[in-house]
Amino acid sequence: MATVVTAYRFALDPSPAQERALRSHAGASRFAWNWALGRCGERYAAERKWYSGAELHKLWNTAKKADPALAWWGENSKCAYQEAFRDLDRALRDFTKSRKGQRKGRRLGFPRVKKKGRCRDSFRLTGAIGCAGSTVTLPRLGAIRTHKDTGKLAARTAAGTARILSATVSRTAQRWFVSFTVAARRDSPQVHVRPGTAIGVDLGVKTLLTGVDDAGRVTAVAGSRPLSAALRRLRRASRACSRKQPGSARRRKAAARLARLHARVADVRADALHKATSALAARYETVVVEDLNVTGMISSKKLARAVSDQGFGQARRMLAYKTQRNGGTLLVADRWFPSSKLCSACGWRKPSLTLAERTFACGQCGHTDDRDVNAARNLLHLAASGADSQNACRAAVRPGNAGQAALKQEPGTAHAGQTGTATPQGTAAA
Ligand SMILES: [Zn+2]
């Protein structure tokens, strides 16, 4: 039996009064962050250190009673302030770690002041949170209607197999969402129903995913028609937006439309990904995907890239918990494993491959393959070495890719009964 932390997200349908309350809470959270950032700045100037989240909470409790200008605090749940202090605490610690080189990923800047309209409207609540039917109940805000039924989560919390830890409310375009962080107990099956099966999966934009399994079967999940239509509209809206004068009313309108379309694409994509990843996790014991430097890619200017990057991270997260739920394993190839550049037949490495080249042609053995299928085959080959790596507790290297192939097991995807840590990332022996 394992406990996994998952998220449940629902679109909200608030009444006008509730919507005002949501905006007020988002404002309170922003205010608390900025207020705390100010206090931390003062202390840093004097003592070279910051306040912790708990200290900020104490300071706030004194200040809110003493300062008449803060008398409005009681209009919002006290959690909204408290959680903002916790966030700032974490941001400051992450900043310090990043500075010292103790944190992976891109370098973090110092936490900034949040300006209204310039940052995402969001806040987090803890405490008396629940859901039933088509409503969610949040502290202070009460029962808010949702667009979809929350029955599945409600049943699980009622049965005691899931517990809601917190609720993050945020606004995307004009729509409000609540995302519950849930600790769920899973009676994960010890073994997969189809032991020994494996599939390599290449994630893409137009073709959501291309897989090659151990029997050589190729599966391609094309992005659905609504997705390509939404992507087309998104591209057009993006161009239209950039043509408008910055700061103009037209620009603002175009930006709002663009944000709505982004949200729509994300929705459609998430739906399609859910279906596809559920099917994969049910059919295959081992699923191998590429590791993508998602934080590094966000800065990419190309729209298709930006959209797909969100999808990659999402697909990975879905596969991680769904494989576990089915008693399988998700293996993640090393970030530098050149899955699309290697010949899946002989292991020859193509010196360069542009995104426009849709067919892989080997310069050594003459093998040709669809680009994505070739990449998926290479990932599948890793599954074999991955099985070794799990038993031997270190990643193996596939012959022919000197110093390239290393595998890691996605944290949290260990089989039930094992510890949830990743197997040590392999030293790439040449
Ligand atoms: Zn070849």
Side-chain angles (χ1 to χ4, degrees):
M1 194 130 71
T3 301
V4 283
V5 174
T6 51
Y8 284 78
R9 189 167 178 263
F10 301 104
L12 297 174
D13 184 17
S15 68
Q18 283 173 332
E19 167 137 33
R20 278 195 297 280
L22 292 174
R23 283 182 192 276
S24 169
H25 274 77
S29 168
R30 198 166 48 230
F31 181 89
W33 167 283
N34 293 338
W35 180 87
L37 193 59
R39 299 295 81 73
C40 286
E42 288 164 11
R43 185 174 194 192
Y44 192 79
E47 303 172 44
R48 296 271 141 204
K49 59 177 178 183
W50 297 306
Y51 290 116
S52 71
E55 288 169 327
L56 285 166
H57 189 218
K58 239 190 224 164
L59 278 181
W60 171 252
N61 279 341
T62 316
K64 74 184 183 190
K65 284 170 203 151
D67 188 350
L70 298 178
W72 49 265
W73 71 268
E75 288 165 26
N76 308 298
S77 163
K78 61 182 192 311
C79 299
Y81 308 97
Q82 205 170 330
E83 294 298 311
F85 300 148
R86 279 196 192 137
D87 285 346
L88 179 63
D89 185 321
R90 189 174 328 118
L92 287 168
R93 271 185 287 139
D94 282 347
F95 167 72
T96 314
K97 273 193 208 149
S98 175
R99 260 247 155 130
K100 291 183 183 159
Q102 295 164 348
R103 191 179 184 279
K104 273 203 230 167
R106 92 197 133 85
R107 243 178 116 91
L108 289 181
F110 190 76
R112 289 203 219 165
V113 169
K114 294 190 173 178
K115 290 201 183 94
K116 187 177 179 182
R118 282 298 182 83
C119 68
R120 193 179 170 80
D121 272 346
S122 98
F123 59 94
R124 192 168 59 243
L125 301 172
T126 53
I129 299 165
C131 62
S134 289
T135 55
V136 296
T137 309
L138 300 173
R140 202 60 212 256
L141 293 151
I144 302 177
R145 291 218 338 242
T146 54
H147 283 284
K148 281 188 186 153
D149 188 65
T150 68
K152 239 188 202 169
L153 176 60
R156 303 200 58 187
T157 50
T161 55
R163 193 161 53 89
I164 301 175
L165 303 173
S166 67
T168 302
V169 181
S170 64
R171 187 174 61 84
T172 300
Q174 290 311 312
R175 224 172 196 203
W176 288 89
F177 294 88
V178 64
S179 176
F180 293 127
T181 304
V182 175
R185 262 212 332 250
R186 287 249 159 80
D187 303 297
S188 303
Q190 291 286 328
V191 281
H192 195 270
V193 288
R194 299 180 66 223
T197 49
I199 188 166
V201 176
D202 180 76
L203 299 164
V205 184
K206 277 195 181 142
T207 308
L208 276 183
L209 55 89
T210 307
V212 177
D213 71 7
D214 49 318
R217 244 192 320 262
V218 175
T219 318
V221 179
S224 59
R225 200 128 38 113
L227 181 64
S228 24
L231 273 170
R232 220 167 26 244
R233 277 201 300 272
L234 184 61
R235 261 191 297 274
R236 220 176 305 137
S238 165
R239 276 198 301 271
C241 182
S242 54
R243 273 198 304 267
K244 307 279 190 290
Q245 191 77 27
S248 68
R250 282 170 175 224
R251 172 76 168 233
R252 228 177 8 256
K253 248 171 116 179
R257 182 176 145 72
L258 187 59
R260 273 199 309 279
L261 283 170
H262 261 294
R264 163 94 185 128
V265 167
D267 270 359
V268 174
R269 197 186 170 85
D271 260 7
L273 280 177
H274 265 302
K275 285 201 190 91
T277 52
S278 292
L280 284 181
R283 279 189 74 85
Y284 300 100
E285 184 184 27
T286 306
V287 179
V288 193
V289 293
E290 293 174 272
D291 191 2
L292 284 141
N293 180 6
V294 173
T295 39
M297 273 185 172
I298 298 291
S299 59
S300 151
K301 284 194 188 84
K302 286 231 173 79
L303 188 65
R305 257 292 179 64
V307 172
S308 68
D309 291 347
Q310 292 172 1
F312 288 137
Q314 215 175 18
R316 279 262 308 271
R317 281 191 298 279
M318 289 177 186
L319 282 171
Y321 73 80
K322 288 178 184 179
T323 47
Q324 192 206 21
R325 194 158 67 188
N326 286 279
T329 311
L330 175 68
L331 294 173
V332 179
D334 182 88
R335 179 177 300 175
W336 308 113
F337 178 66
S339 61
S340 25
K341 285 187 189 163
L342 294 176
C343 170
S344 56
C346 74
W348 178 74
R349 185 183 172 160
K350 204 176 168 86
S352 71
L353 185 77
T354 64
L355 268 174
E357 290 176 56
R358 298 312 305 165
T359 306
F360 180 93
C362 179
Q364 189 166 287
C365 73
H367 171 78
T368 60
D369 218 340
D370 173 81
R371 177 204 179 93
D372 300 340
V373 172
N374 181 62
R377 269 190 226 285
N378 283 319
L379 290 163
L380 173 68
H381 290 155
L382 283 181
S385 61
D388 296 345
S389 85
Q390 263 180 285
N391 299 335
C393 226
R394 66 181 282 273
V397 178
R398 193 164 78 89
N401 314 321
Q404 294 299 346
L407 266 175
K408 64 181 183 197
Q409 194 179 327
E410 186 73 333
T413 61
H415 291 287
Q418 288 180 350
T419 51
T421 51
T423 46
Q425 203 160 336
T427 40

